[in-house]
Amino acid sequence: MNTQLLPLSSQSSLSDNSLFQPQNALPAGQQYIVENLFSLDIIQKQTTTKIIMQLLYNQVNTRDIPHIVALLEEHLPNVLYTQCFNDDGLPFSVEVKHTEIGHLFEHILLEYLCQAKIAKGAQRASYAGNTKWNWLRDPRGKFHIRLTCGVKDADILPLALDKTIALMKIILAFHQTPLFTSKRQYGPKNGLKNGKRSRENNASI
């Protein structure tokens, strides 16, 4: 499933060159908007990739998606085995039930990066990331995501992003009415969470 990302600066009439093409390497820095769900500002550097994610609706936490674990088990079960480093020391399979949307995005992307690298023939793939937010300074719903994925992985990042966005669209649309209308707020206004994913070729998880 290919997902088209529309650049934030684009007009209502778009040319083919303005669409995200997963088979191509990302430019040095690009901004995209994904329907009415979130925007992404992506900067790939020599050894890292920085993604600024801005949610375009009220809710920022997976507590409003009660079937989040079932959705992941159906579409990407291995993401539940990614390592998670959070204040409560919870495994990601538990943390995912009440975590920030940006943190969920990070873990899904880490899993897809590992899958893409293994598919290229690598015997082992390992990526780490962290998600920061500070809504005392930034607009609510803005996340700063940093990954250990640099220019050497420029060929697999677009594909991993494409798959991550496609899955996020499924997850965020699953309970769209309460997700977009609820005024409840969860969690701190600032924080930091880390994730890591390592996979061996031919490993089941």
Side-chain angles (χ1 to χ4, degrees), residues 6-190:
L6 309 185
L8 290 172
S9 59
S10 66
Q11 303 298 318
S12 57
S13 176
L14 297 172
S15 67
D16 290 341
N17 291 332
S18 67
L19 300 180
F20 179 76
Q21 301 294 338
Q23 68 270 24
N24 296 331
L26 287 170
Q30 285 290 310
Q31 291 181 311
Y32 302 95
I33 187 166
V34 182
E35 297 183 355
N36 61 341
L37 300 175
F38 54 86
S39 64
L40 299 173
D41 188 341
I42 305 167
I43 303 172
Q44 191 167 34
K45 298 184 178 180
Q46 188 67 29
T47 59
T48 62
T49 295
K50 180 180 180 181
I51 301 174
I52 300 175
M53 181 183 196
Q54 177 66 60
L55 299 181
L56 303 178
Y57 56 91
N58 289 328
Q59 294 307 321
V60 297
N61 197 287
T62 58
R63 282 189 177 96
D64 286 296
I65 312 173
H67 302 295
I68 181 63
V69 173
L71 285 169
L72 292 174
E73 286 176 340
E74 177 182 356
H75 296 282
L76 190 66
N78 285 344
V79 74
L80 297 172
Y81 297 98
T82 54
Q83 292 178 270
C84 186
F85 306 93
N86 52 76
D87 291 340
D88 297 321
L90 299 174
F92 188 65
S93 58
V94 177
E95 168 73 14
V96 73
K97 299 175 184 178
H98 49 79
T99 197
E100 290 71 24
I101 298 296
H103 186 220
L104 172 65
F105 183 96
E106 173 208 328
H107 275 261
I108 292 174
L109 182 52
L110 289 173
E111 173 61 28
Y112 278 131
L113 281 168
C114 285
Q115 288 187 11
K117 189 165 185 176
I118 293 294
K120 281 185 60 182
Q123 292 301 307
R124 186 175 187 274
S126 181
Y127 295 97
N130 64 62
T131 300
K132 297 180 181 180
W133 65 98
N134 185 344
W135 302 331
L136 300 174
R137 177 194 64 201
D138 294 333
R140 187 170 184 271
K142 176 172 281 191
F143 297 96
H144 299 265
I145 303 167
R146 191 174 296 273
L147 308 167
T148 57
C149 170
V151 294
K152 71 181 187 304
D153 297 310
D155 56 335
I156 65 172
L157 177 60
L159 176 61
L161 274 169
D162 186 63
K163 291 183 175 182
T164 299
I165 291 160
L167 181 51
M168 290 296 295
K169 288 174 67 176
I170 292 172
I171 292 170
L172 297 180
F174 192 74
H175 278 288
Q176 186 164 331
T177 301
L179 190 66
F180 280 76
T181 60
S182 173
K183 298 297 183 181
R184 291 175 294 172
Q185 297 187 16
Y186 300 110
K189 293 183 178 180
N190 55 68

